[in-house]
Amino acid sequence: MQEPDTFWEFVSGQWAKLGEQTLQHLGLTLFSLTIAVIVGVPLGIFIARNRKIAPSVLNITGILQTIPSMALLGFMIPLLGIGPKPAIFALFLYALLPIVRNTYIGITGVDADIKEAASGMGMTPAQSLFKVEIPLAFPVIMGGIRTATTINVGVATLAAYIAAGGLGEFIFGGISLNNTNMILAGAIPAALLAVLLDFLLAQLQKVNLAKVRKMLFAFPVALLVFSLIYAFRTAEDKRLLAGFTPEFMGRQDGFLGLQQKYGFDMRTVVIDDAMMYKALYEKKLDVISGYSTDGRIKAFDLVALTDDKHIFPPYYAAPVVREKILQKYPEVEDALNLLSGRINDSIMTELNYKADYLHQNPEAIAKEFLQSQKLWKAPRQNPKGKIVIGSKIFGEQYILSAMYAMLIKGYTNLDVATKTGLGGTKICFDALTNKQIDLYPEYTGTGFLVLLQPDEKTVNGLIKDKNAVYDFVSKEFRSRYGLKWLKPIGFNNAYVLMMRKKHAEELRVSTISDLLQLNHN
Amino acid sequence: MIEVSNVSKSFGKNAAVDNISFTVKKGEKLILLGVSGCGKTTTLKMLNKLIDVSSGTISIDGTDIQDQPAEKLRRNMGYVLQRNSLFPHFTVLENIAVVPNLLYWEKSRIDERAKVLLEKFHLPQERLLAYPKELSGGEAQRVNLARALAADPPILLMDEPFSALDTITRKAMRNEFVELGEFKEKTIVMVTHDVQEAFEIGDRICLMDGGKIIQIGTPKQLLFAPINDFVRDFLSNSYLQLLLTVTRCCDIWKFLDDNQQAANENDKAFSAEISVAAALERFKDKNDTDQKIRMRCLDSVKMLSVSDLLQGFANYKAKTDART
């Protein structure tokens, strides 16, 4: 196993990227905050002066606050596309409630006698507002702005899901790659940013507003200037745009390999898997990273580009089983191998399409398929033992584990329990080695690169050959963990770059090299 | 001069003030007296348009206040609120400077005026830079009064200005305020529920109930010629104290025993224009029968003890009662 880098090694290696992400993060937070202050404070004052409409305004901002961040970002794509615009808008909506509410509370909380004294002494409503009410409500208003800032620094990490950048790129990349240093490289600066901004605003909160009117102007002006610089940096660009997941960005067999082998230099943004296909379909992106058996290829009418320099390793699916179980119940192996060679890429894509896009029940899909292959048998009576099947948390794995359950029940005298939705690779694998489950479907590439993590020489030597990879993982899993890889099912769920089918045809692009050629012209 | 004619104010269906009329002459002190909810505060706030009249007219120096912008009107009327209403984020100086600033006074003039006011209210000059939370209740109320007087407005409206203070501070503040030169020149309309306070400060008292004026007149008129049982009952609780307040030492002068033998030319002589109640206040220890104060009425000077004053008052009362 490779010695993992220390946190500092990672940070010093990624210094430039970290700086840019931090700047983007700060930009997203402050830009959205500035708009929220510009809209929220006057709105709060307005409803403080028109109390009848206050409950409805506060309720609306409250409801906005309860929309899950991911859902809100999803709604934004058709309206505002991807990138900073929808992120800033979503952050603006989140920042609104604390600012409006605290302004309202602050202004209405000013002692009625003080307000009466102000007007009784001959101040106009505007003079009373600016000389008395706002200065007295200022600490409360600032409290709201501080809350909004902290919320925004946190929510801004999600901006990485819609190609708006920020420290979320490291955080979510690190989570997908099981790379703690990468997570920390995003999480620690984000936390420091929240603490720092809160500290600065706390200093401002203590200021006696009546004394330093100049500062009152300096603050929004500084924010505005910063925001404008940020806005210019993210100006519109007509070139082709690629959107990759945080995981893909960090992988040797992903973006890093694309750069090294193909000299990949397209304009690239980081985006969440769930948003990516939609953004491609909506023409907000031109190229995305994906999986070759994804049902959405069919749903969105996409085409996979040929990996002509073979950088994406093979990801052939096969069941991984504990050897102890096979010794105890040898008949299980035969039952599981019944599926071998039955499902190719296009069949798997079709099955995934039914699960992910038509939202059919994975078990119904599994049963229908097995019946069409004449493999389905009714479960036997009076089972004498039990097998536990696990699966990762996506449709393809649900379908495969359902098929295995049916095969075991139909062809052996064993009962089956399923533990589906075991987060990611690491969780599934740990459950297997800790005997929480007896088998789950795994991919050769994942076993090779993520679980075994061999040295670079081994990787380069084997990666292009699907049989070599299968043999390597079979041997290593047996000797290291006492786990057996059964026969591959047939399909290869590998990384691919894909485009809209029509777009690819228009541009006459069918391989990754074609794409880069086009990008250079 | 303030003229209120046929003014009514209703909030929804409730008439807070029901067709009242009165005038306040220049330099006069009018007290609006009554229990909570009688309409006295509403009446006061209609004078500076904090509350608009429902019907009737109010004019000041011959101009209908409806024809003037509220802000302009208010800057020429000092306004003192019930509770401490100093701006907490302003220093004493800034609080005092509020109205002068609204009137665009020059800074040097404002500073000068603030110093004079602090002196008049017996506050040390370094208090100018203090914030309201650093002041005692009495000090805060002095600043509150100083703030109302800052731009030297001809009219002063006061809404229970002393009611937030404890009994002793309140009495002292009241005396101090009545003695103040600025106070004597001002036309004042003051709201209170404290009968004693009304009698001490008011030239005339307007006793209100249920939004109506029950009786308006001098303290003596209210005490000696109440128009109905309501007025009589309202004053009956503190009748003796009020009697001592409306009776001046001059009134009972000829009933007072003169103890010439103890006269000392060097002692300060008090004017007998003060009320008997106020004269009694001058004795530090009212149980000390030997203590005497020197008092002058026109050309005659007398040395008087507490018992001399009470004896004289009793004789005067017996005589006047016999006459009526």
Side-chain angles (χ1 to χ4, degrees):
Chain A
M1 206 177 215
Q2 240 176 306
E3 192 65 29
D5 292 347
T6 64
F7 175 65
W8 291 116
E9 277 167 8
F10 182 86
V11 168
S12 52
Q14 301 283 338
W15 198 247
K17 214 168 171 188
L18 183 64
E20 193 190 328
Q21 288 187 10
T22 308
L23 214 64
Q24 282 172 338
H25 206 94
L26 201 62
L28 289 172
T29 307
L30 293 185
F31 198 126
S32 56
L33 196 67
T34 309
I35 308 173
V37 170
I38 290 170
V39 174
V41 171
L43 184 60
I45 292 169
F46 181 75
I47 61 172
R49 291 276 161 107
N50 301 275
R51 300 217 187 162
K52 273 185 191 159
I53 61 165
S56 32
V57 170
L58 290 173
N59 280 338
I60 291 169
T61 54
I63 288 167
L64 290 174
Q65 192 84 22
T66 63
I67 302 175
S69 347
M70 285 303 292
L72 189 59
L73 292 175
F75 290 142
M76 296 293 156
I77 289 182
L79 301 171
L80 294 167
I82 55 169
K85 259 189 283 177
I88 286 168
F89 190 69
L91 290 172
F92 156 73
L93 291 181
Y94 281 119
L96 215 46
L97 176 68
I99 294 176
V100 174
R101 190 180 48 198
N102 276 43
T103 305
Y104 173 75
I105 292 170
I107 297 286
T108 53
V110 174
D111 194 321
D113 284 342
I114 302 279
K115 282 192 251 195
E116 191 181 299
S119 60
M121 290 170 79
M123 288 191 188
T124 61
Q127 283 168 332
S128 169
L129 184 65
F130 285 104
K131 289 189 176 178
V132 177
E133 294 168 59
I134 291 180
L136 288 177
F138 183 68
V140 184
I141 298 175
M142 281 305 295
I145 295 176
R146 284 174 65 183
T147 309
T149 310
T150 313
I151 291 175
N152 272 14
V153 171
V155 178
T157 55
L158 297 177
Y161 280 138
I162 52 165
L167 291 162
E169 287 187 12
F170 272 158
I171 295 176
F172 296 114
I175 290 172
S176 319
L177 294 167
N178 194 24
N179 182 339
T180 313
N181 290 332
M182 199 184 219
I183 299 175
L184 290 178
I188 291 174
L192 289 178
L193 212 56
V195 172
L196 179 76
L197 288 177
D198 194 53
F199 174 78
L200 290 176
L201 291 173
Q203 300 311 303
L204 198 63
Q205 193 168 19
K206 290 180 199 153
V207 161
N208 183 336
L209 207 53
K211 292 290 157 60
V212 276
R213 295 213 174 77
K214 275 174 199 157
M215 226 171 121
L216 190 62
F217 290 105
F219 177 62
V221 166
L223 270 181
L224 207 67
V225 168
F226 191 93
S227 307
L228 282 176
I229 292 171
Y230 182 76
F232 275 115
R233 280 173 50 91
T234 56
E236 291 284 325
D237 196 329
K238 293 284 178 211
R239 288 177 296 155
L240 289 180
L241 183 64
F244 299 139
T245 62
E247 177 174 1
F248 187 83
M249 290 301 287
R251 288 182 77 130
Q252 189 57 44
D253 58 327
F255 185 69
L256 301 177
L258 272 179
Q259 282 180 313
Q260 286 164 14
K261 298 278 168 62
Y262 285 96
F264 188 89
D265 57 355
M266 277 181 67
R267 204 156 61 94
T268 307
V269 293
V270 179
I271 188 165
D272 177 56
D273 176 69
M275 310 278 178
M276 189 167 67
Y277 289 88
K278 198 169 183 193
L280 180 63
Y281 181 69
E282 302 266 355
K283 301 184 182 174
K284 308 296 181 195
L285 289 173
D286 303 302
V287 182
I288 61 170
S289 61
Y291 300 99
S292 50
T293 58
D294 196 308
R296 287 170 293 193
I297 292 177
K298 184 176 160 71
F300 290 113
D301 198 20
L302 308 177
V303 64
L305 302 182
T306 310
D307 174 20
D308 52 328
K309 290 188 182 171
H310 306 286
I311 62 153
F312 298 131
Y315 278 75
Y316 286 90
V320 179
V321 196
R322 294 200 289 128
E323 288 203 302
K324 288 265 165 60
I325 289 295
L326 294 177
Q327 282 156 18
K328 200 172 170 187
Y329 308 117
E331 66 273 28
V332 168
E333 184 164 351
D334 296 330
L336 295 176
N337 277 339
L338 286 169
L339 208 57
S340 169
R342 299 274 186 163
I343 305 176
N344 64 18
D345 287 8
S346 60
I347 295 174
M348 197 64 236
T349 306
E350 176 78 32
L351 296 178
N352 282 337
Y353 170 72
K354 285 181 184 168
D356 297 338
Y357 204 74
L358 303 179
H359 303 297
Q360 290 177 10
N361 182 354
E363 284 173 28
I365 298 167
K367 189 174 176 183
E368 189 194 349
F369 176 76
L370 290 180
Q371 282 170 337
S372 75
Q373 298 284 315
K374 309 252 186 297
L375 286 174
W376 195 82
K377 278 190 188 174
R380 295 192 191 170
Q381 300 300 315
N382 308 321
K384 61 179 172 71
K386 196 176 191 179
I387 298 286
V388 184
I389 302 180
S391 91
K392 300 182 199 178
I393 192 160
F394 55 90
E396 181 170 295
Q397 290 258 327
Y398 290 149
I399 297 170
L400 293 177
S401 58
M403 287 182 187
Y404 286 136
M406 287 167 191
L407 290 174
I408 290 173
K409 283 187 201 167
Y411 289 85
T412 71
N413 285 320
L414 297 170
D415 193 14
V416 172
T418 50
K419 280 193 181 172
T420 52
L422 292 172
T425 300
K426 187 84 179 135
I427 296 171
C428 253
F429 182 72
D430 287 347
L432 190 62
T433 52
N434 290 314
K435 300 177 180 130
Q436 300 292 307
I437 57 174
D438 300 317
L439 69 102
Y440 77 94
E442 187 52 285
Y443 306 89
T444 52
T446 310
F448 186 57
L449 294 166
V450 178
L451 295 173
L452 293 174
Q453 299 189 356
D455 57 47
E456 222 179 301
K457 216 177 110 196
T458 318
V459 172
N460 291 336
L462 302 176
I463 200 89
K464 285 181 189 171
D465 184 345
K466 64 174 185 174
N467 295 324
V469 171
Y470 179 81
D471 292 343
F472 184 84
V473 293
S474 293
K475 199 176 112 228
E476 292 293 319
F477 268 60
R478 176 168 283 174
S479 62
R480 279 199 215 177
Y481 309 115
L483 300 174
K484 186 171 184 186
W485 285 75
L486 301 186
K487 289 184 189 165
I489 300 165
F491 67 90
N492 179 16
N493 187 2
Y495 269 132
V496 285
L497 293 194
M498 46 187 137
M499 301 178 69
R500 291 181 300 279
K501 200 182 241 171
K502 252 193 184 159
H503 193 214
E505 281 164 7
E506 273 168 30
L507 299 172
R508 299 182 187 190
V509 169
S510 64
T511 65
I512 298 176
S513 296
D514 290 349
L515 179 69
L516 290 169
Q517 192 71 36
L518 189 78
N519 194 48
H520 290 155
N521 296 338
Chain B
M1 189 170 84
I2 304 169
E3 277 185 276
V4 174
S5 47
N6 305 108
V7 164
S8 295
K9 175 69 194 179
S10 41
F11 298 105
K13 281 181 182 168
N14 299 331
V17 171
D18 189 3
N19 194 25
I20 61 168
S21 303
F22 62 85
T23 59
V24 189
K25 290 193 282 291
K26 190 173 183 326
E28 192 181 21
K29 281 84 186 142
L30 178 79
I31 312 294
L32 300 172
L33 178 66
V35 294
S36 300
C38 72
K40 57 191 194 297
T41 298
T42 306
T43 305
L44 185 80
K45 287 182 179 174
M46 286 192 289
L47 297 180
N48 66 355
K49 286 172 71 170
L50 279 174
I51 295 175
D52 286 325
V53 298
S54 297
S55 64
T57 55
I58 296 172
S59 64
I60 288 171
D61 294 332
T63 317
D64 190 332
I65 60 168
Q66 289 314 118
D67 300 338
Q68 299 178 50
E71 287 80 26
K72 191 163 174 283
L73 179 78
R74 290 172 192 157
R75 286 169 198 174
N76 289 312
M77 289 176 149
Y79 182 50
V80 185
L81 273 90
Q82 199 164 0
R83 284 172 295 276
N84 179 14
S85 59
L86 294 176
F87 299 126
H89 58 309
F90 285 171
T91 59
V92 167
L93 175 60
E94 288 164 335
N95 265 290
I96 292 175
V98 169
V99 181
N101 269 328
L102 292 172
L103 295 169
Y104 304 107
W105 282 24
E106 283 191 19
K107 195 176 178 312
S108 57
R109 188 178 166 201
I110 296 173
D111 289 348
E112 190 51 41
R113 177 68 179 152
K115 275 182 200 160
V116 169
L117 282 167
L118 246 65
E119 215 162 280
K120 283 186 177 167
F121 282 97
H122 311 294
L123 287 164
Q125 294 294 324
E126 59 266 24
R127 282 318 217 184
L128 278 176
L129 297 177
Y131 283 92
K133 64 175 177 221
E134 301 165 41
L135 304 175
S136 70
E139 283 177 325
Q141 202 56 4
R142 283 190 182 92
V143 175
N144 203 2
L145 288 168
R147 181 174 71 170
L149 293 170
D152 202 13
I155 297 170
L156 201 55
L157 306 180
M158 304 168 87
D159 188 0
E160 309 226 16
F162 307 114
S163 68
L165 303 171
D166 62 82
T167 332
I168 294 167
T169 318
R170 186 164 157 183
K171 179 91 189 156
M173 282 278 307
R174 211 152 66 199
N175 290 341
E176 205 176 288
F177 189 59
V178 172
E179 293 298 314
L180 206 66
E182 307 237 2
F183 167 80
K184 288 172 181 155
E185 303 157 10
K186 303 289 177 206
T187 306
I188 292 177
V189 179
M190 181 174 120
V191 161
T192 185
H193 63 271
D194 183 333
V195 182
Q196 180 63 28
E197 192 167 285
F199 271 63
E200 279 179 28
I201 296 178
D203 293 327
R204 280 193 305 147
I205 294 170
C206 171
L207 180 60
M208 295 180 70
D209 186 51
K212 289 191 167 73
I213 295 176
I214 307 300
Q215 186 172 5
I216 186 163
T218 62
K220 274 185 180 170
Q221 283 170 337
L222 260 72
L223 197 61
F224 298 135
I227 62 156
N228 59 19
D229 284 346
F230 177 83
V231 181
R232 209 183 324 271
D233 292 346
F234 201 90
L235 305 180
S236 65
N237 271 344
S238 42
Y239 184 79
L240 181 59
Q241 183 64 28
L242 297 178
L243 204 56
L244 292 172
T245 307
V246 297
T247 310
R248 293 173 308 147
C249 293
C250 280
D251 299 334
I252 61 169
W253 194 253
K254 59 181 175 180
F255 299 97
L256 292 170
D257 268 344
D258 182 13
N259 302 293
Q260 284 290 347
Q261 71 277 15
N264 181 346
E265 290 300 322
N266 293 330
D267 281 355
K268 188 186 166 201
F270 291 105
S271 160
E273 290 298 317
I274 62 174
S275 69
V276 178
L280 288 170
E281 294 283 318
R282 309 288 179 185
F283 291 89
K284 287 196 182 71
D285 179 358
K286 293 182 183 56
N287 293 323
D288 181 359
T289 48
D290 291 338
Q291 197 197 341
K292 292 191 164 80
I293 60 167
R294 199 151 169 266
M295 193 170 274
R296 177 197 304 276
C297 180
L298 299 173
D299 290 335
S300 103
V301 174
K302 290 180 180 178
M303 288 298 290
L304 301 164
S305 67
V306 171
S307 48
D308 292 337
L309 279 167
L310 292 176
Q311 185 67 52
F313 175 75
N315 291 341
Y316 160 80
K317 179 80 173 116
K319 194 71 176 253
T320 46
D321 286 355
R323 214 182 302 147
T324 49

